Amino acid sequence: MRTSFPLHSPDFYAGDPYPAYRELRATSPVCWNDVIGFWALLKYDDIRFVSSHPAAFPPTKGINMPDGQLPPPVQENNLIFPDPPRHRQLRSLINSGFTRRQVAILEPGIREIVRATLDGLAPDSVHDLIEQVAAPLPIRMIAELVGAPRDDWAQLRAWSDAAIGTADSTTDLDPMAAAGGLYHYFRRLIAARRTEARGDLFSVLADAEVDGIRLNDEELLDFSFLLLAAGNETTRDLIALGTLALIAHPDQRRLLAEDPTLIPVAVEEILRWSSPVVHMARTATTDVEIRGRLIREGDVVVMLYGSANRDEDVFGPDAEEFKVTRHPNPHIAFGCGEHSCVGAQLARVTASAFFAELLRRFPELELAGEVDRMPATMLPVVKRMPVRLGTGR
């Protein structure tokens, strides 16, 4: 069944897609977009099915929604794209940097960066939360993780924003030049860690070995760009969207301010309710039927995580409500199956540290102007968000 909703349009996702999601889950949970040509999946179980069958729905031909003009970008050595068994080999090596033990080692540094980022914000004042917190915090964290000197953090953010496409439209930094700057910077950093390990993430990954195999420099470089795209942008969006959710639900925010032990559970609800990744795409390698719709070999399927994470069949009649005490919470904001997010635990720790410190300092929050969103189909990027930070006293 075709849908009249513009599921191919960046403007659609910059608005409020959730009423459309709700209608499509009820009427056409597997629907065809004939403007670009792809199947959209709206239901939780269907997305889990596709994600758990990588042979039938591999990411090797791209993970982005088709745009009708350019082929989707694919990096052969990027963890996201390869089929098993190559994917499992890369994932086993990269997992060494994201074990619970390794994340626990990193946690004090993350908390320090969160505190330092918030130190410049005065109580009962208005700030652009994106420019002053959500954008600089994740790039500082990533730079710290890989051992980049603090003097380089501002340059890394400028390169990252321009290369990934979240820089302000007034910037004169060319995206290709920015990507080149990042490439050469990370290559030098990797070479330095090959010579002298320092206990940072690059040092751990450079030394990682599984079945006698190590990551080569090109694989580490590809991972560094994945870390920037997945770690920087999704963390930025998680902070922004989570703060918006807390502003919109003052009763839930006050629960957390009064009882900070609830914050890890609340982070799961923020992930579910906000879904910092809009979609992932897969290309069918064989004919597969889903809910009576024939997905043919070569068809692209687009998994809409925001819809799945509010599926009434999984989360109940209150699926549209934001409840920071929701448990259990089997959301798929990090994806699922073989290609689920390798940095999920790190993202959880970072978000928990941020919201705990934010609400400790500023338990009262309110918007102080219009929220400016960037039209996009992959990430729900918030460009500007003026917020008044109140102490409640």
Side-chain angles (χ1 to χ4, degrees):
M1 180 180 292
R2 293 177 173 83
T3 175
S4 59
F5 291 110
L7 299 179
H8 60 284
S9 170
D11 290 328
F12 173 78
Y13 300 100
D16 179 8
Y18 290 99
Y21 287 165
R22 184 167 60 250
E23 180 176 332
L24 287 171
R25 282 196 303 274
T27 62
S28 185
V30 181
C31 55
W32 178 254
N33 176 281
D34 56 6
V35 177
I36 300 298
F38 63 81
W39 292 98
L41 304 184
L42 282 294
K43 295 286 286 182
Y44 182 97
D45 287 346
D46 298 339
I47 290 174
R48 289 201 70 96
F49 171 79
V50 167
S51 299
S52 61
H53 290 82
F57 295 99
T60 47
K61 292 188 178 180
I63 59 170
N64 298 78
M65 183 183 297
D67 69 4
Q69 296 178 348
L70 298 174
V74 175
Q75 288 178 300
E76 183 180 344
N77 292 317
N78 190 311
L79 181 64
I80 290 178
F81 297 105
D83 282 332
R86 177 59 174 154
H87 172 79
R88 292 178 191 137
Q89 183 186 78
L90 283 172
R91 192 178 184 92
S92 294
L93 287 162
I94 289 170
N95 268 340
S96 61
F98 294 94
T99 62
R100 287 188 178 273
R101 178 177 177 275
Q102 188 66 25
V103 171
I105 292 171
L106 298 170
E107 187 171 356
I110 292 170
R111 293 188 181 278
E112 180 184 345
I113 291 171
V114 168
R115 287 192 292 268
T117 303
L118 293 175
D119 278 346
L121 307 183
D124 297 313
S125 58
V126 174
H127 299 274
D128 179 1
L129 195 82
I130 306 305
E131 177 60 29
Q132 294 182 259
V133 179
L137 192 155
I139 197 66
R140 290 173 185 175
M141 182 191 73
I142 291 169
E144 180 81 3
L145 290 180
V146 301
R150 294 197 173 211
D151 289 347
D152 296 343
W153 289 6
Q155 180 64 73
L156 284 172
R157 181 190 165 188
W159 279 334
S160 175
D161 284 354
I164 297 170
T166 55
D168 191 275
S169 59
T170 60
T171 184
D172 58 0
L173 191 56
D174 178 73
M176 292 301 293
L182 287 169
Y183 178 88
H184 292 295
Y185 183 88
F186 282 125
R187 183 174 281 283
R188 290 195 303 271
L189 202 60
I190 290 166
R193 296 303 177 267
R194 296 282 193 199
T195 303
E196 181 185 359
R198 295 188 179 180
D200 53 53
L201 182 60
F202 272 179
S203 297
V204 172
L205 295 179
D207 192 51
E209 182 176 318
V210 174
D211 298 330
I213 298 171
R214 294 177 182 268
L215 292 167
N216 61 40
D217 285 2
E218 295 304 316
E219 289 162 346
L220 275 172
L221 280 167
D222 280 347
F223 174 71
S224 69
F225 278 90
L226 175 61
L227 187 63
L228 282 173
N232 181 14
E233 291 309 313
T234 56
T235 302
R236 168 182 175 152
D237 295 337
L238 176 57
I239 289 170
L241 297 172
T243 303
L244 278 174
L246 294 174
I247 289 172
H249 300 86
D251 58 328
Q252 300 297 297
R253 185 181 72 245
R254 291 185 188 112
L255 281 177
L256 300 183
E258 293 166 4
D259 184 2
T261 64
L262 293 173
I263 285 176
V265 175
V267 166
E268 300 305 315
E269 180 68 347
I270 288 170
L271 285 160
R272 181 195 76 87
W273 199 77
S274 301
S275 294
V277 175
V278 172
H279 84 276
M280 288 281 177
R282 299 288 187 265
T283 302
T285 60
T286 186
D287 291 358
V288 179
E289 187 174 295
I290 301 178
R291 295 186 189 269
R293 306 296 179 194
L294 180 60
I295 314 295
R296 296 189 180 277
E297 178 183 352
D299 283 354
V300 174
V301 296
V302 170
M303 301 178 288
L304 293 171
Y305 294 125
S307 177
N309 282 333
R310 298 195 188 185
D311 189 337
E312 301 83 355
D313 290 343
V314 176
F315 298 99
D318 63 355
E320 294 285 347
E321 296 178 27
F322 179 70
K323 299 173 66 174
V324 297
T325 56
R326 187 182 298 273
H327 184 77
N329 194 339
H331 67 79
I332 50 175
F334 291 118
C336 50
E338 294 222 3
H339 288 271
S340 61
C341 176
V342 71
Q345 187 60 23
L346 182 62
R348 288 182 165 105
V349 167
T350 302
S352 293
F354 171 75
F355 288 113
E357 191 66 22
L358 178 73
L359 294 176
R360 184 184 72 80
R361 299 182 187 214
F362 311 112
E364 295 297 324
L365 305 167
E366 62 181 19
L367 285 177
E370 292 293 321
V371 176
D372 183 10
R373 298 173 183 263
M374 177 184 292
T377 58
M378 176 66 81
L379 302 172
V381 176
V382 180
K383 291 180 64 178
R384 292 181 184 83
M385 192 172 96
V387 174
R388 184 179 299 280
L389 304 170
T391 61
R393 293 195 295 269

